[in-house]
Amino acid sequence: MRIPRNLEVWRLGTVNYLKALKLQEKLASDRKINKIPDTLLSLQHPPTYTLGKRRTDYNLLVPESELKNMGAELHYTQRGGDITFHGPHQAILYPIISLRDIGLGARKYVENLESTMTELSSLYGVKAHGQRKCETGVWVGDRKIGAIGVRISAGITSHGLAFNIDPDLTFFKHIVPCGIADKDVTSLRTETDLVLPDDEVIQEQLVSCFARLFGYNDIIWKDKNVIEIDG
Amino acid sequence: MALRIWASSTANALRLSSATGPHFSPLSRSFSSVLDGLKYANSHEWVKHEGHVATIGITHHAQDHLGEVVFVELPEAGGSVTKDTSFGAVESVKATSDINSPISGEIVEVNSKLSSTPGLINSSPYEHGWMIKVKPSNPKELEHLMGAKQYTKFCEEEDAAH
């Protein structure tokens, strides 16, 4: 008999990158000792460039000092993947879940993250696809609409996915996004003919796609102010 | 599963072994992705204990579930590892996954080939894809690890769970 699985979703609004990282680290260690259930952070970031464990900063095309002038931060992280940009109107999901509990490996987990974004895209009539060999992420034709960068430590996930609802795509011109030089970045706004609802609605839909794909029976929604969580 | 166990018992009965040591069964390798003579952790690392040195890597099951490994981060020789603690990481499909040591000890050698050819972990997880060699500080820890049959069953149960 299958034990029902719940997903606790924290709606965090816009959060500074480092604050979100600190929160994830705390939640991941709580999750490891089963102090909390599988938890999903749903948020956006102010303009932020991030690098993965391989530190591929040769894919940053402008000096770091110029980023400050643009009003953007730069952070080095332990996640997989190359350089990317996060900013307003990009939906971020950071699942802090136990892969061991559900018997998923990295490859299948990432495939499910891709499917989360392709399903969401299809709600707006956009035909996106993932599972491109050697190019993890979600694409509409040759244009990238969703990115993935994940960390798995002691079987617990952190970091996650970033889906472009309607971010300022010019920010991507200052990097070789995800280390892929000859492909464009796109957004839901660019690809769909439909009028988009508020970001919050789209983010909730994204969470629902995630929950369904990962087989959660129930979603417990929590609205959190991350400043309160800091303590 | 029955076929695998039959194959490995047959290999053992025929005393098939490779030149590298008496406990390896090449025949069982072609039938099975789990090797006899190794010990296994439930985080899917293997340990080969020969004399005073234990070699550590990740299993076929682990590399299969990771996808193509594009980057490996390993510690330096001279450092130490602690049982059930991370000693390095691999990257595949834009995911970095920690690698845990099944035993404690001093690192005596690190596989330098992995920085230029991380794919060895996928193509040869038990041989050329080895990660570190350790002088075990507490050989009793090896007794708590799984043998081949137990690990095979563990993998099947884990895969069936979802």
Side-chain angles (χ1 to χ4, degrees), chain B residues 38-42 45-49 54 56 80-85 100-106 132 134-147 150:
Chain B
L38 302 185
K39 296 292 234 173
Y40 298 87
N42 61 9
E45 292 87 11
W46 55 264
V47 185
K48 181 170 112 189
H49 190 204
I56 296 169
S80 64
V81 290
T82 310
K83 179 177 158 64
D84 294 336
T85 310
N100 297 309
S101 181
I103 57 170
S104 314
E106 186 201 333
I132 58 173
V134 167
K135 206 164 87 180
S137 57
N138 184 359
K140 277 216 166 81
E141 286 172 340
L142 287 150
E143 293 165 28
H144 298 297
L145 300 174
M146 291 183 267
Q150 203 184 347

Side-chain angles (χ1 to χ4, degrees), chain A residues 53-54 78-82 100 102-108 110 133-136 144 148-154 178 180, chain B residues 42-43 63-68 70-71 73 84 86 88-100 158-159 161-162:
Chain A
K53 202 181 188 42
R54 282 177 285 138
Q78 295 298 309
R79 61 159 172 81
D82 210 300
R100 283 192 201 155
I102 49 178
L104 285 187
R107 191 159 54 110
K108 190 75 183 82
V110 165
K133 197 176 188 318
C134 302
E135 285 182 2
T136 294
K144 195 164 189 182
I148 291 171
V150 165
R151 181 176 184 199
I152 303 165
S153 183
C178 310
I180 301 164
Chain B
N42 61 9
S43 45
Q63 67 79 27
D64 183 54
H65 280 54
L66 281 174
E68 190 192 333
V70 299
F71 177 74
E73 186 185 67
D84 294 336
S86 158
V90 297
E91 181 176 335
S92 63
V93 295
K94 305 280 176 82
T96 54
S97 301
D98 280 2
I99 309 294
N100 297 309
E158 206 180 60
D159 283 347
H162 66 278

Side-chain angles (χ1 to χ4, degrees), chain A residues 29-98:
Chain A
S29 60
D30 284 350
R31 183 64 190 90
K32 186 177 165 189
I33 57 174
N34 280 314
K35 196 169 160 197
I36 58 171
D38 283 350
T39 303
L40 176 64
L41 307 182
S42 174
L43 58 132
Q44 296 191 5
H45 287 307
T48 312
Y49 291 93
T50 68
L51 286 151
K53 202 181 188 42
R54 282 177 285 138
R55 302 174 75 88
T56 51
D57 43 21
Y58 46 82
N59 284 325
L60 178 63
L61 304 176
V62 296
E64 205 179 321
S65 48
E66 236 184 86
L67 297 182
K68 283 211 180 87
N69 296 341
M70 286 176 219
E73 293 182 359
L74 173 70
H75 293 289
Y76 289 80
T77 76
Q78 295 298 309
R79 61 159 172 81
D82 210 300
I83 193 168
T84 196
F85 171 79
H86 300 306
H89 306 298
Q90 185 193 69
I92 303 250
L93 293 189
Y94 291 146
I96 315 291
I97 69 175
S98 167

Side-chain angles (χ1 to χ4, degrees), chain A:
Chain A
M1 190 166 78
R2 230 175 124 246
I3 302 163
R5 289 170 49 234
N6 292 338
L7 178 70
E8 202 172 283
V9 178
W10 294 20
R11 285 188 285 225
L12 294 174
T14 298
V15 186
N16 167 270
Y17 191 82
L18 276 184
K19 276 208 159 78
L21 197 55
K22 255 178 67 182
L23 176 61
Q24 289 179 74
E25 282 164 13
K26 174 166 193 324
L27 293 178
S29 60
D30 284 350
R31 183 64 190 90
K32 186 177 165 189
I33 57 174
N34 280 314
K35 196 169 160 197
I36 58 171
D38 283 350
T39 303
L40 176 64
L41 307 182
S42 174
L43 58 132
Q44 296 191 5
H45 287 307
T48 312
Y49 291 93
T50 68
L51 286 151
K53 202 181 188 42
R54 282 177 285 138
R55 302 174 75 88
T56 51
D57 43 21
Y58 46 82
N59 284 325
L60 178 63
L61 304 176
V62 296
E64 205 179 321
S65 48
E66 236 184 86
L67 297 182
K68 283 211 180 87
N69 296 341
M70 286 176 219
E73 293 182 359
L74 173 70
H75 293 289
Y76 289 80
T77 76
Q78 295 298 309
R79 61 159 172 81
D82 210 300
I83 193 168
T84 196
F85 171 79
H86 300 306
H89 306 298
Q90 185 193 69
I92 303 250
L93 293 189
Y94 291 146
I96 315 291
I97 69 175
S98 167
L99 291 185
R100 283 192 201 155
D101 280 6
I102 49 178
L104 285 187
R107 191 159 54 110
K108 190 75 183 82
Y109 174 60
V110 165
E111 279 177 18
N112 283 3
L113 291 183
E114 288 176 333
S115 299
T116 300
M117 291 189 276
T118 57
E119 252 195 47
L120 188 279
S121 302
S122 72
L123 293 180
Y124 292 90
V126 174
K127 286 204 176 82
H129 57 274
Q131 274 110 71
R132 271 169 68 149
K133 197 176 188 318
C134 302
E135 285 182 2
T136 294
V138 175
W139 303 78
V140 183
D142 257 358
R143 304 171 297 285
K144 195 164 189 182
I145 195 172
I148 291 171
V150 165
R151 181 176 184 199
I152 303 165
S153 183
I156 308 294
T157 62
S158 58
H159 298 272
L161 65 83
F163 181 79
N164 292 339
I165 300 174
D166 186 20
D168 181 351
L169 296 178
T170 61
F171 276 104
F172 286 94
K173 289 198 178 359
H174 306 299
I175 57 175
V176 182
C178 310
I180 301 164
D182 55 348
K183 303 274 182 351
D184 285 332
V185 177
T186 187
S187 66
L188 189 62
R189 175 71 187 272
T190 310
E191 298 292 334
T192 186
D193 295 323
L194 302 175
V195 174
L196 294 182
D198 284 345
D199 282 5
E200 285 80 17
V201 173
I202 301 177
Q203 284 175 254
E204 265 188 42
Q205 289 169 331
L206 192 61
V207 169
S208 300
C209 291
F210 176 94
R212 196 169 45 249
L213 276 158
F214 281 87
Y216 290 100
N217 298 93
D218 257 312
I219 300 175
I220 301 157
W221 298 91
K222 294 197 171 174
D223 291 290
K224 296 255 186 186
N225 184 331
V226 85
I227 299 165
E228 294 163 15
I229 298 161
D230 250 355

Side-chain angles (χ1 to χ4, degrees), chain B residues 53 76-78 106-112 130-134:
Chain B
V53 174
E76 307 236 321
E106 186 201 333
I107 303 169
V108 297
E109 201 183 332
V110 174
N111 188 351
S112 54
W130 68 271
M131 292 180 152
I132 58 173
K133 290 188 199 276
V134 167

